[in-house]
Amino acid sequence: MNCNASSERAEEDQNSASARSPAPDRLIDTQAGRKYWQNAAASNDGMLGGIPGVQAYSHISRTDILGSRSFLARMNIGIKGGRETLKSAVDAGAGIGRITKDLLLSIAEEVDVVEPISRFTEGLKDVKGVRNIYNVGLEEWEPVAGTRYDLIWTQWCLGHLTDEQVVKYLEVCKTVLTPGIGWIIVKENLNTGLEDLFDPTDSSVTRRDEKFRALFEQANLRVVRTDLQRVNPVQASRKLFPVRMYALKPR
């Protein structure tokens, strides 16, 4: 479930936000977030939070996928230049499977999907290479016993989890990584204000880089590589949140 990657919401009132109580993640209402996504269009525009006909949004998916491919290529994962492909991957918070179809199935033999909104995954049931579909939230995900993943891709969805739930989810991910070679990738919007930013529209939180790193530390994960997603001039003019990718491994 993409957490409004294309949102133009301003990072406003940060001084007053810093005095807000309770902590931003404590304002998350899972049911309110699910209700928001139940009403979203099952399309790239719907998943990205875009507005049809606005030029910047039409470019986001392509720029996003290219950035993700480049990030993986720097980790020697890909289909060109003698890079390695993978046995299995999981698309966590998959939405309609944009990342599954445009990225993961090109580098992995099999892909599992985790997405709580079941109507979003209807179109993935007959897609070659898609193995298991879990229609649950990340905080509820229980992988099949014995499953191992070379790559767990989590993008634009951790904002719907509290800090505690993020740590617990990452700890679950560690238990199903292929020993020695498995990667956890987190790709999320960043708030550059004074603290994490709660958005009541979809009941989500946009975290600061420092918060993500603290949560990774709590989950006993180390950041092996991290890059900012590049944006084209059209996207830059829309003042979108910066997007950062983190490649994680167990300590």
Side-chain angles (χ1 to χ4, degrees):
M1 181 182 299
N2 291 333
C3 188
N4 275 332
S6 57
S7 173
E8 280 191 86
R9 298 163 195 157
E11 299 166 21
E12 60 187 7
D13 298 328
Q14 288 292 293
N15 290 331
S16 60
S18 65
R20 186 171 53 202
S21 181
D25 73 303
R26 294 300 175 185
L27 299 173
I28 293 172
D29 181 333
T30 299
Q31 295 309 310
R34 299 273 175 91
K35 182 177 180 181
Y36 172 88
W37 288 106
Q38 286 284 8
N39 292 319
S43 65
N44 280 348
D45 279 321
M47 297 300 97
L48 295 171
I51 303 172
V54 177
Q55 186 180 14
Y57 294 115
S58 67
H59 290 280
I60 284 176
S61 185
R62 175 176 170 78
T63 302
D64 168 61
I65 295 297
L66 289 175
S68 297
R69 285 178 183 163
S70 296
F71 186 67
L72 289 174
R74 296 184 192 105
M75 296 157 52
N76 199 38
I77 298 172
I79 58 175
K80 295 181 179 180
R83 296 183 177 90
E84 298 177 353
T85 55
L86 310 172
K87 291 286 186 181
S88 64
V90 60
D91 185 356
I96 61 172
R98 181 183 66 89
I99 295 168
T100 292
K101 292 181 286 188
D102 294 347
L103 176 67
L104 298 181
L105 284 175
S106 68
I107 59 171
E109 294 177 15
E110 295 181 311
V111 176
D112 285 356
V113 168
V114 184
E115 168 54 50
I117 309 301
S118 59
R119 70 181 178 89
F120 287 165
T121 60
E122 283 297 316
L124 296 175
K125 292 180 177 178
D126 297 322
V127 173
K128 184 179 179 181
V130 173
R131 184 174 54 182
N132 299 312
I133 297 177
Y134 299 86
N135 287 130
V136 297
L138 300 188
E139 73 280 8
E140 305 164 302
W141 181 43
E142 296 182 0
V144 173
T147 302
R148 289 291 180 267
Y149 297 107
D150 298 338
L151 180 70
I152 299 176
W153 190 278
T154 307
Q155 178 170 345
W156 288 332
C157 55
L158 292 183
H160 288 290
L161 273 58
T162 66
D163 291 354
E164 182 180 356
Q165 288 173 331
V166 170
V167 172
K168 289 183 177 179
Y169 163 72
L170 293 173
E171 288 175 339
V172 169
C173 290
K174 287 195 304 181
T175 68
V176 290
L177 282 181
T178 304
I181 66 171
W183 291 95
I184 299 170
I185 307 296
V186 169
K187 185 171 184 178
E188 292 285 347
N189 292 348
L190 295 182
N191 183 32
T192 57
L194 297 176
E195 67 166 22
D196 300 344
L197 182 65
F198 176 72
D199 187 345
T201 305
D202 62 352
S203 195
S204 69
V205 166
T206 304
R207 293 179 169 89
R208 301 172 72 237
D209 176 59
E210 292 85 350
K211 172 58 71 64
F212 277 116
R213 292 175 186 269
L215 296 178
F216 301 152
E217 181 74 21
Q218 289 179 48
N220 206 23
L221 291 166
R222 59 189 175 93
V223 178
V224 178
R225 184 180 184 91
T226 181
D227 290 335
L228 278 171
Q229 170 75 54
R230 293 184 179 181
V231 297
N232 63 40
V234 175
Q235 292 171 0
S237 71
R238 305 301 300 181
K239 299 181 180 179
L240 308 181
F241 285 123
V243 176
R244 181 170 285 280
M245 295 167 278
Y246 304 89
L248 310 171
K249 278 187 174 290
R251 290 188 178 279

Coordinates of all heavy atoms in Angstrom, one line a residue, residues 58 66 75 104 132 136 156 190 199 207 211 216:
S58 N 2.4 11.9 -13.3 CA 2.5 10.9 -14.3 C 3.9 10.3 -14.5 O 4.1 9.3 -15.0 CB 2.0 11.4 -15.7 OG 2.9 12.5 -16.1
L66 N 13.0 3.3 -11.8 CA 14.3 3.4 -12.3 C 15.3 3.6 -11.1 O 16.4 3.1 -11.1 CB 14.4 4.6 -13.3 CG 13.8 4.3 -14.6 CD1 13.9 5.6 -15.5 CD2 14.5 3.2 -15.4
M75 N 24.0 -2.8 -5.5 CA 24.2 -4.0 -4.6 C 24.4 -5.3 -5.4 O 24.3 -6.4 -4.8 CB 22.9 -4.1 -3.7 CG 22.7 -2.9 -2.8 SD 21.0 -2.7 -2.3 CE 20.6 -4.3 -1.7
L104 N 10.2 -6.3 -9.2 CA 10.6 -7.6 -8.5 C 10.5 -8.8 -9.4 O 11.4 -9.6 -9.3 CB 9.7 -7.8 -7.2 CG 9.9 -6.7 -6.2 CD1 9.0 -7.0 -4.9 CD2 11.3 -6.5 -5.7
N132 N 2.5 -16.4 -3.2 CA 1.5 -16.3 -2.1 C 1.0 -14.8 -2.0 O 1.8 -13.9 -2.1 CB 2.1 -16.7 -0.7 CG 2.5 -18.2 -0.7 OD1 1.8 -19.0 -1.1 ND2 3.7 -18.4 -0.2
V136 N -3.3 -9.1 4.5 CA -3.2 -8.6 5.9 C -2.3 -7.4 5.9 O -1.5 -7.2 5.0 CB -2.6 -9.7 6.8 CG1 -3.5 -10.9 6.9 CG2 -1.2 -10.1 6.4
W156 N 6.6 2.8 1.0 CA 5.5 3.7 1.2 C 4.3 3.1 1.9 O 3.2 3.2 1.5 CB 5.1 4.2 -0.2 CG 6.0 5.2 -0.8 CD1 6.8 6.1 -0.1 CD2 6.3 5.5 -2.2 NE1 7.6 6.8 -0.9 CE2 7.3 6.5 -2.2 CE3 5.7 5.0 -3.3 CZ2 7.7 7.0 -3.4 CZ3 6.2 5.5 -4.5 CH2 7.2 6.5 -4.6
L190 N 10.5 11.1 3.5 CA 11.1 11.7 4.7 C 10.5 13.0 5.0 O 10.3 13.9 4.1 CB 12.6 11.8 4.5 CG 13.5 10.6 4.4 CD1 14.9 10.9 4.3 CD2 13.3 9.6 5.5
D199 N -0.4 12.8 9.3 CA -1.3 13.3 8.3 C -2.7 12.6 8.6 O -2.8 11.4 8.4 CB -0.8 12.9 6.9 CG -1.7 13.5 5.8 OD1 -2.8 14.0 6.1 OD2 -1.3 13.5 4.7
R207 N 8.1 10.0 8.6 CA 9.1 10.0 9.7 C 10.4 10.8 9.2 O 10.6 10.9 8.0 CB 9.5 8.6 10.1 CG 8.4 7.9 10.8 CD 8.8 6.5 11.2 NE 7.9 5.9 12.1 CZ 6.8 5.2 11.8 NH1 6.5 5.0 10.5 NH2 5.9 4.7 12.7
K211 N 14.6 9.1 12.8 CA 13.7 8.2 13.4 C 13.9 6.8 12.8 O 13.9 5.8 13.5 CB 12.3 8.7 13.3 CG 11.2 7.7 13.7 CD 11.3 7.2 15.2 CE 11.0 8.3 16.2 NZ 9.6 8.7 16.1
F216 N 15.6 1.1 13.0 CA 16.5 0.0 12.5 C 17.4 -0.5 13.6 O 17.6 -1.7 13.8 CB 17.3 0.5 11.3 CG 16.5 1.0 10.2 CD1 17.1 2.0 9.3 CD2 15.2 0.6 9.9 CE1 16.3 2.4 8.2 CE2 14.5 1.0 8.8 CZ 15.0 2.0 8.0

